[in-house]
Amino acid sequence: MIRILAIETSCDETAAAVVEDGRRILSNVVASQVDLHAQYGGVFPEIASRAHIEAIVPVIEQAMREAHMGYDDPDAVAVTYGPGLAGSLLVGVNAAKGIALGRGLPLVGVNHLEAHIYAHWLNVTDDDAATPSLTFPPSAEGTDRETSPPQAGGIEGGLEFPLLALLVSGGHTELILMRDHGDYEYLGGTLDDAAGEAFDKVGRLLGLPYPGGPSIQEAAKGGNPAAVDFPRAWLEDSYDFSFSGLKTAVLREVETYSTPPQGQLLTDLAASFQAAVVDVLSAKTAQAAEEYGVTGVLLSGGVSANTALREMTTERVSVPVHYPPPFLCTDNAAMIGACAYRRFIAGERAGWDLDVVPGLRLV
Ligand code: KG4
Ligand code: ZN
């Protein structure tokens, strides 16, 4: 039995978790800074870094307490070292080093993008749903554990490689072929804005609260996705994406109204924008799944919490489409623990010179 204390501070969530054998969540604490950044309509790096410094110790202590563990008990300490905001990453990396060095524990450095994919290996039980482990839930979305049934055991539950990961977050949009644990091939990615970034920017244009993703999903309820035929950048013969033209098209549309869109008009705009993003993401995912003969698709990252994306991808892809419950789609430390477990059992250890790599890539 291997228990890993995992720490995540790459963006605007201060998170710590204890994960057993890469699958069982013993604790999962997330302190979201969403309210702090909402007034700026996006993450303010200086403020994020300062907020991590304030939250990191109480968050780690709570994760340890909920896992009923002392600091000598974990088998390793894992931490996200990139990609992300340098000042934010530094807080987690230094906290992890401090605990590991102080207690003589091995240190494992984790790539945040890989960890989003490893959220699929976590078991989600009724127990997790019952544990009040999210101290400051990122949003109502973050605590909604009903929309996705627990995935019965990921790979060990009967799935096999190769798998296709659609990684859609605030900073990334990539299609990745996963041939085995740690064996990735980059098939394509965004040439400009990430999908989550597009949701956040369009959310701002529509006057919706930050972050735009959950706000647009909520605003789009009851809307007509065909009300406005927003452009889709198909970028034929590639698995690349582009969302900046779509963002500009929404801006142009909004500019045609004399007052900010409200009511049914706002609902229709949100639904039409969401449909345009989901259309391209799901179509390219379906095409790649077919071309590479994968056994399943892993929707990963914050945007994979999007219900329309889940539904449309499931409809279009001929193999099973998996998505973690929303609280494991957005940033959390349980996924860092799941990913670190694979690295740890493969013998990987970080040195005391582990540094942050804000531009770290998966492949
Ligand atoms: O993975 P994540 O929590 O952080 C990064 O690693 O970036 O992703 C955050 C992104 C934000 O852009 C947010 O607007 C988006 O995920 N997001 C959503 C939804 N929930 C979060 N986008 C669309 N629909 C959602 N329900
Ligand atoms: Zn993330």
Side-chain angles (χ1 to χ4, degrees), residues 112 116 169 331 335:
H112 180 89
H116 268 302
S169 68
D331 289 350
M335 68 184 195

Side-chain angles (χ1 to χ4, degrees), residues 6 43 57 64 77 108 142 170 176 195 214 222 275 307-308 317 322:
V43 180
V57 172
M64 295 298 281
V77 182
V108 181
I176 301 210
T307 316
V317 174
H322 303 269

Side-chain angles (χ1 to χ4, degrees), residues 77-104:
V77 182
V79 65
T80 307
Y81 70 101
L85 300 168
S88 292
L89 289 163
L90 272 169
V91 178
V93 166
N94 284 314
K97 279 186 188 173
I99 296 169
L101 190 61
R103 300 290 169 152

Side-chain angles (χ1 to χ4, degrees), residues 18-289:
V18 178
V19 175
E20 191 175 277
D21 293 334
R23 305 178 66 77
R24 194 163 160 241
I25 303 172
L26 302 185
S27 63
N28 184 27
V29 180
V30 181
S32 173
Q33 306 172 6
V34 159
D35 292 346
L36 282 180
H37 300 290
Q39 57 185 308
Y40 306 103
V43 180
F44 200 111
E46 293 289 313
I47 291 177
S49 168
R50 225 174 309 150
H52 282 306
I53 291 172
E54 282 173 19
I56 191 77
V57 172
V59 164
I60 294 173
E61 285 188 341
Q62 187 175 340
M64 295 298 281
R65 211 167 37 242
E66 286 183 12
H68 306 291
M69 284 179 34
Y71 284 93
D72 289 322
D73 295 334
D75 295 278
V77 182
V79 65
T80 307
Y81 70 101
L85 300 168
S88 292
L89 289 163
L90 272 169
V91 178
V93 166
N94 284 314
K97 279 186 188 173
I99 296 169
L101 190 61
R103 300 290 169 152
L105 300 171
L107 182 68
V108 181
V110 172
N111 179 321
H112 180 89
L113 302 177
E114 186 178 22
H116 268 302
I117 297 174
Y118 272 89
H120 288 271
W121 273 261
L122 290 165
N123 279 336
V124 182
T125 63
D126 288 347
D127 264 8
D128 293 323
T131 318
S133 51
L134 293 162
T135 11
F136 315 103
S139 64
E141 194 70 21
T143 55
D144 173 11
R145 299 163 192 214
E146 302 305 318
T147 51
S148 169
Q151 300 299 323
I155 306 302
E156 282 74 14
L159 292 181
E160 282 178 12
F161 293 111
L163 293 159
L164 176 69
L166 173 67
L167 182 59
V168 271
S169 68
H172 293 81
T173 296
E174 297 178 3
L175 267 171
I176 301 210
L177 179 65
M178 189 178 184
R179 290 210 172 82
D180 201 342
H181 289 294
D183 180 358
Y184 307 100
E185 183 183 336
Y186 177 89
L187 303 182
T190 185
L191 304 179
D192 39 56
D193 292 351
E197 194 179 350
F199 269 99
D200 294 338
K201 287 177 176 171
V202 168
R204 258 200 309 270
L205 288 176
L206 297 179
L208 296 168
Y210 173 82
S215 297
I216 288 178
Q217 170 166 317
E218 190 56 35
K221 280 183 185 157
N224 174 9
V228 184
D229 187 16
F230 284 126
R232 276 85 161 142
W234 289 110
L235 308 177
E236 301 293 342
D237 300 324
S238 90
Y239 289 119
D240 287 335
F241 302 91
S242 165
F243 296 107
S244 70
L246 171 59
K247 176 190 63 192
T248 309
V250 177
L251 174 65
R252 296 280 168 267
E253 181 70 24
V254 170
E255 281 174 345
T256 62
Y257 310 117
S258 50
T259 53
Q262 284 181 346
Q264 191 60 39
L265 177 59
L266 176 61
T267 303
D268 284 347
L269 281 174
S272 301
F273 162 76
Q274 181 174 260
V277 176
V278 165
D279 191 10
V280 180
L281 289 175
S282 58
K284 293 215 173 203
T285 302
Q287 197 184 336

